[in-house]
Amino acid sequence: MDLAKVDRIVDKYQGSPAALLPILQDIQAQENWLPREALQRVADKLQVPLTRVYGMATFFRAFSLKPRGKHICTVCMGTACHVRGAPKLVEKIERDMKIRAGETTPDLEFTLETVNCVGACALGPLVILDGTYHGNITSAKLDKVLKGIGRTK
Amino acid sequence: MRARLTSPQALEKLRAEIAGRRDPEKPVLSICAGTGCVAYGSLKLADAVREEVEKRGLGDKLEVRINGCHGFCERGPLVLCHPHGFFYQRVQPSDVGEILEQSILAGQPIERLQYVDPVTGARAVKQQDVGFYKHQMRVLLEYNGWIDPTSIEDYIAVGGYAALAKALSTMKPEEVLDAIYKSGLRGRGGGGFPAGVKWKECRNAPAPDGVRYIIANGDEGDPGAFMDRSLMEGNPHLVIEGMILGAYAIAHPGHPVGYIYVRNEYPLAVERLGLALEKARELGLLGEKILGTDFGFDIQINRGGGAFVCGESTALMASIEGFVGEPRAKHIHTVVQGLYNKPTNLNNVETWANVPLILTRGVDWFTSIGTGDVSKDPWGGSKGTKIFALVGKVNNTGLVEVPMGKTLREIIFDIGGGIRDGRQFKAVQTGGPSGGCLPASHLDMPVDFDRLTEAGSMMGSGGMIVMDDSTCMVDVARYFLHFLADESCGKCVTCREGLKHLCKIVDRICAGQGREGDLELLDEISLTVEKASLCALGQTAPNPLRSTMRYFRDEYVAHIRDHKCPAKVCKALITFGINDKCTGCMVCARNCPTGAITGERKKLHVIDQSKCIRCGVCQEVCKFDAVDVA
């Protein structure tokens, strides 16, 4: 990635190590993941050990150390969605896409993620595809939703 | 940009000016834009409304307001038409023309869009006629269906910042603190620690440079809980006003510094709070010399990184400082040494939202609501209201605000409308991953901090997940154990390793490989995790497991001894079969991902058990109820 972008982000927070979390969030928002050289640059600029940056990047769920797909499909695994059958949806996508939750298809087109709850429990089970919420999902509905981005089994 | 208000009187003047500009009879169309309604398409609905209003040239005839969450998520998108108060549900863009013509211009209700009570068949004209709302006491959420959260004027018009003006002009910081102490307000984040006690300790802690941190915890991580989000998104100024009052009470004269820590998954809350802070600053309600007094305070927003443990106060503070969110031992309390080792007062978003109400309506009003007696001891009861997220297998999913002490039965059946699809109530899970599952025998228990704890659960942040007879309690325990094992920060061996082993054992039970002695072993490990972990995550982690073992022991025994899952959920213990209702339509065979179903057209189909992966797709797609689970 273009490291000048990282510099701009770090400078925005006056190079303060306390801002490590928002800095990484901003990089991830821009790149969709955290490339190694970006982490190294952040560590250098903030003058903190790379282990601390790496620790943050691996501790928080929001970060990914691998490139993520063009389309991101998130299945809500909150309790309300769980009792309404969310695990079956994850299993179905895993089967159809031949990836596990947290992984990306080799063509970098599709990433499957889970989230602990998005607070839209009335619509459970719920799938979020590229930011759009699809509620009361069944396996047939899921096929239709995924067809929308050209993914079928 | 508006000029800063330089005195409490200037705020009252502004309030009068706003009221003078507004005609109370002018129709207002309020559209719910809470997460649930947005997912149902309420933003498209709002666009359609704006377009129609423009097309018909009604711009000066009505006001269109996009609100935060109205609460009744089950029936979204929700619309309210003032001044008549018509309540409409499941509103679609195609309904907009009729609403404008009939309800706004002609003042007539539209029957088609009204809520019909499924039991009595009665139509609800206004919100208060709906069973879901009728039995609630909406104090914190009162204005969610009225104000536009992006407008500070809307908040001021309904009495916003009056508590601040009152405090700054007529009360000493100690008097504000005393009011909160006497109100018995207890922390809404889960622990139920009296806010007044915490505030007092923080105020009394030595702070040589005068810096005291005031934090709102909006890292609402409990799955199935979204009340803090609805407050932050629907009425952000209420939370901000509460924090300003807290800063005044705890740290004036001194240098209070504020943070709101918002969960990563809540981008809209971040946006709304950011806008609200900006507007409050513009008006001089934040920053230096608030309302012209010598009191100054400002707040910044921090986004979480998606770690459940950061809801724990010391982990949250570590995260603000730019470190991983690991809790630390609290030999010295955070009120004495918290963020950057300075005295720090952290309260949950909902706790802060109560503060302005207590100051404007009075301590006596607040203590008249709820259970127990807090006149001598703030631990003596649970006062005020509590917002619950009522979700799961209940008819009316949504946000519910009730006085403390309402029974579970009233909440689940009177407000929640009972169990979905006519099934049987089995349990209600309260308190998120730290809470427990309560069975039907506890339905008449009044809900407050202490009763829930006695029953082996807890208040938590207020998630209430209803479960029916198709929910396997062992599977629910397994779900929470895996959740917590994933979210454990790994600092304490008991939490990191103990939870892993609890998961292993429960996984084995669900897989039909339970052994005699497993339950005793689970008990023993649970006790160790509970006693030897540092923070509340570990200390309460065994709660879901222990409460289900306490109230649903027979289900565990069925799994272990009989290798049966009574709720027919655990895959290893069930088989799918096709009964003679099968018409041979072949839909199941076409949808089966492993090709396990065979059969000719119009003939009974058969499932090959060796190929079946028990995904349940056949049962879901069968229109003839011909797939059985045994």
Side-chain angles (χ1 to χ4, degrees), chain A residues 39 53 57 59 71 73 80 82 109 113-114 117 124 140-141 146:
Chain A
L39 297 184
V53 182
F59 183 85
H71 298 291
C73 179
H82 178 87
E109 279 285 309
E113 292 180 346
T114 57
C117 183
K141 261 197 195 172
L146 293 179

Side-chain angles (χ1 to χ4, degrees), chain A residues 13 17-23 25-26 29 52 55-57 59-63 77-80 82-84 88-89 91-92 95-96 115-124 126 133-141 143 153, chain B residues 35-36 39-40 73-74 223-226 229 261 263-266 303-307 309-310 319-326 340 391-394 397 420 465 467 471 475-476 479-480 483 487 489 571 593 613 615-617 620:
Chain A
Y13 294 95
L20 188 47
L21 181 57
I23 287 171
Q25 279 165 332
D26 287 1
R52 179 169 159 198
M56 293 289 276
F59 183 85
F60 290 103
R61 237 172 152 23
F63 300 126
M77 296 298 272
T79 325
H82 178 87
V83 298
R84 292 193 190 174
K88 284 184 185 170
L89 297 177
E91 285 163 21
K92 181 182 156 56
R95 253 193 336 263
D96 292 351
V115 61
N116 283 334
C117 183
V118 293
C121 309
L123 291 98
L126 177 93
Y133 289 53
H134 301 273
N136 298 311
I137 285 284
T138 58
S139 60
K141 261 197 195 172
D143 280 336
K153 43 190 149 166
Chain B
T35 324
Y40 280 124
C73 310
E74 189 69 40
F226 50 99
R229 160 193 211 146
Y261 192 90
R263 189 170 172 233
N264 178 54
E265 287 81 359
Y266 292 174
R303 285 173 295 158
V309 71
C310 285
S319 153
I320 293 182
E321 290 179 22
F323 291 95
V324 294
E326 272 181 11
Y340 300 111
V391 302
K393 304 282 185 75
V394 64
T397 299
R420 286 165 94 91
I465 298 120
M467 297 165 184
T471 312
D475 177 67
V476 168
Y479 164 81
F480 281 114
F483 175 95
E487 295 291 349
C489 78
K571 278 183 166 184
I613 55 166
C615 66
V617 169
E620 189 192 304

Side-chain angles (χ1 to χ4, degrees), chain B residues 494-515:
Chain B
T494 46
C495 177
R496 184 182 70 230
E497 298 300 320
L499 286 174
K500 207 185 276 173
H501 283 274
L502 290 176
C503 283
K504 262 190 181 166
I505 298 168
V506 175
D507 280 351
R508 217 174 56 212
I509 294 175
C510 288
Q513 291 154 10
R515 297 195 283 258

